[in-house]
Amino acid sequence: MQISSKWVAALASVTVAASGIAGTAVTAGKPQTDQGGSDHQSALRLNQIQQMGAHNSYHRELSAVEKQVQQAQDPGATNLFYSHASIPRQLQDQNIRALELDLFPDPAGGLYTYPLIRKLTGQGPLTDPELAKPGIKVMHVPDFDYNTNCRSFVVCLKQVKTWSDQHPDHAPITIQLELKQSDPKVVAAGGVKAPPWDLANLNGIDTEIRSVLSERQLLSPDDVRRKGLTLEKSVLTKGWPTLDQARGKVMFFFDNGGEGEIRDLYREGKPNLEGRAVFTRGPEGQPDAAVTMVNDPRGANQAEIQRLVRKGYLVRTRSDEPMATVLANETSRIGIALESGAQWVTTDFPVAGMAARYDSDFVAKLPGDTPVRCNPVAAPSWCRGNVSER
């Protein structure tokens, strides 16, 4: 996303160009019922299943007048024009089992209550009391693309916990966390500057997770690592927990990956994430390597995802990108993503109708419209269909 360095208060009216040709509902393959039965299913491991997730699960579009500002400042602003249902509705009605949240530190509280784009469009501050409280906030871009279906990390977590408590046999829910900073151009134009992700704020992530979820509900690196082995060696040689062991649990991993300050700080003195609540994206061969991402499954990337999945890593990929996929009528990517064997395939169009305003019928979901299926790459030979959540 490219945002111009100058902001203006009065802008010409612009409209969203719904230029996409009608897409196709593609789900790759025919729905089946697992032939192994529930006894076999209980032995399936987490790397042997596949689930759909929602990209930027929190995201809601801004008002029409704010969209005019976005489009005037960013030629690619149309890519921001997608909205998700509330998190409980995604879990209940859309068969979503992987969520994505973008996080910003706010240790003092109140930092993000009056977005710049609201000032420029003559609106007042946001009145949600959660924004005034100290704690981590959830949004896409402060001041420029701020709307969300749950404004604080704790509120999002409480929504997940409430649904989980009501459905204790659900397959594990995975939450991908991207730790973000303010856009420098927006800051230069008068927006707020988010605090850095220093050790105190990183520790705050664990604290907030554990303030909502009990250790019984949390699937942490300590639950996976075996005695005397690194986390990576544990998952590659001993395996992930079984589906039954992980039912009703929530696990987290950082989008921010590879070598870098966030991963280094979070692992300081804890090379295998001892005591931590979140998995990191350690490079292959590193002690903390267990979860990774390959965003685009097309081309040679599909074979790379399959290689990682066969080794025993958990992989996330994407079936589409807003709004390029629907505007270009690019319907093949969902099939490629599913057949890659990535355990989490994320989308912005999990149910029919979400892309209709762009003249597209595109939808990305598992065959059989189910929350969980046997992984097409890593599952045992007897597992070739949907997996029951009981």
Side-chain angles (χ1 to χ4, degrees), residues 74-137:
D74 177 10
T78 303
N79 293 329
L80 305 176
F81 299 167
Y82 63 96
S83 294
H84 281 291
S86 67
I87 286 176
R89 294 266 64 87
Q90 291 177 52
L91 296 170
Q92 181 66 26
D93 299 333
Q94 299 180 353
N95 288 327
I96 292 298
R97 293 296 180 269
L99 304 168
E100 296 183 23
L101 302 176
D102 289 350
L103 305 184
F104 291 85
D106 189 14
L111 183 60
Y112 310 105
T113 56
Y114 202 175
L116 181 59
I117 199 168
R118 290 182 66 87
K119 296 176 183 177
L120 295 176
T121 52
Q123 302 177 83
L126 297 167
T127 58
D128 188 334
E130 286 298 320
L131 286 172
K133 298 177 183 178
I136 298 164
K137 302 305 188 294

Side-chain angles (χ1 to χ4, degrees), residues 3-317:
I3 302 173
S4 66
S5 58
K6 294 183 179 180
W7 286 65
V8 292
L11 296 161
S13 176
V14 288
T15 59
V16 178
S19 58
I21 300 173
T24 306
V26 181
T27 54
K30 296 180 180 179
Q32 297 175 280
T33 301
D34 167 39
Q35 301 300 310
S38 58
D39 289 343
H40 279 87
Q41 287 185 7
S42 66
L44 281 173
R45 296 188 180 274
L46 295 190
N47 61 307
Q48 296 174 328
I49 62 174
Q50 189 173 58
Q51 300 168 295
M52 290 300 300
H55 165 254
N56 288 352
S57 315
Y58 60 88
H59 192 265
R60 290 279 174 90
E61 296 163 73
L62 300 189
S63 67
V65 67
E66 290 168 316
K67 285 182 177 180
Q68 293 174 11
V69 176
Q70 288 178 320
Q71 288 188 303
Q73 300 302 319
D74 177 10
T78 303
N79 293 329
L80 305 176
F81 299 167
Y82 63 96
S83 294
H84 281 291
S86 67
I87 286 176
R89 294 266 64 87
Q90 291 177 52
L91 296 170
Q92 181 66 26
D93 299 333
Q94 299 180 353
N95 288 327
I96 292 298
R97 293 296 180 269
L99 304 168
E100 296 183 23
L101 302 176
D102 289 350
L103 305 184
F104 291 85
D106 189 14
L111 183 60
Y112 310 105
T113 56
Y114 202 175
L116 181 59
I117 199 168
R118 290 182 66 87
K119 296 176 183 177
L120 295 176
T121 52
Q123 302 177 83
L126 297 167
T127 58
D128 188 334
E130 286 298 320
L131 286 172
K133 298 177 183 178
I136 298 164
K137 302 305 188 294
V138 176
M139 72 194 85
H140 192 224
V141 183
D143 290 294
F144 188 76
D145 191 33
Y146 63 85
N147 202 15
T148 171
N149 57 30
C150 54
R151 297 200 187 277
S152 75
F153 188 35
V154 165
V155 167
C156 298
L157 293 176
K158 286 180 177 178
Q159 292 178 1
V160 172
K161 174 179 166 52
T162 297
W163 187 88
S164 177
D165 289 344
Q166 294 168 350
H167 304 83
D169 290 327
H170 68 77
I173 297 167
T174 302
I175 304 181
Q176 175 182 328
L177 305 176
E178 183 172 0
L179 311 188
K180 300 180 77 172
Q181 291 286 283
S182 302
D183 187 297
K185 292 180 179 178
V186 179
V187 174
V192 300
K193 182 175 176 60
W197 283 106
D198 57 19
L199 185 57
N201 285 324
L202 290 174
N203 287 338
I205 295 172
D206 284 12
T207 299
E208 293 197 11
I209 289 172
R210 289 189 163 110
S211 75
V212 176
L213 299 173
S214 68
E215 292 300 326
R216 180 187 59 80
Q217 294 171 303
L218 177 64
L219 182 62
S220 72
D222 285 344
D223 296 321
V224 176
R225 190 181 60 258
R226 303 297 184 92
K227 185 176 181 180
L229 296 177
T230 66
L231 179 60
E232 183 187 49
K233 288 293 185 184
S234 296
V235 300
L236 298 188
T237 64
K238 301 298 183 181
W240 288 88
T242 66
L243 177 59
D244 270 12
Q245 290 171 334
R247 288 188 188 276
K249 293 182 181 291
V250 183
M251 70 174 287
F252 299 82
F253 75 92
F254 286 136
D255 179 293
N256 314 72
E259 304 289 349
E261 184 177 1
I262 287 176
R263 173 175 170 264
D264 294 344
L265 278 175
Y266 193 72
R267 293 174 63 242
E268 194 171 274
K270 307 172 189 295
N272 292 285
L273 304 173
E274 293 89 342
R276 286 303 197 182
V278 184
F279 289 82
T280 49
R281 284 178 54 210
E284 194 172 355
Q286 292 293 307
D288 59 322
V291 179
T292 191
M293 291 167 44
V294 181
N295 281 328
D296 191 339
R298 294 170 293 187
N301 284 353
Q302 188 187 58
E304 174 62 5
I305 294 172
Q306 291 170 342
R307 182 188 71 82
L308 292 166
V309 168
R310 288 190 179 102
K311 284 193 71 173
Y313 297 103
L314 298 184
V315 184
R316 175 265 197 181
T317 194

Side-chain angles (χ1 to χ4, degrees), residues 315-381:
V315 184
R316 175 265 197 181
T317 194
R318 295 178 66 176
S319 62
D320 48 83
E321 296 179 30
M323 300 302 302
T325 300
V326 295
L327 295 181
N329 193 29
E330 206 286 272
T331 59
S332 64
R333 182 166 166 174
I334 172 61
I336 296 169
L338 291 176
E339 292 308 310
S340 75
Q343 288 86 0
W344 306 300
V345 178
T346 63
T347 180
D348 285 298
F349 308 97
V351 293
M354 291 183 70
R357 59 182 166 145
Y358 297 100
D359 196 23
S360 174
D361 284 331
F362 180 80
V363 60
K365 57 184 179 180
L366 294 180
D369 201 14
T370 180
V372 194
R373 76 162 181 168
C374 303
N375 190 290
V377 172
S381 59

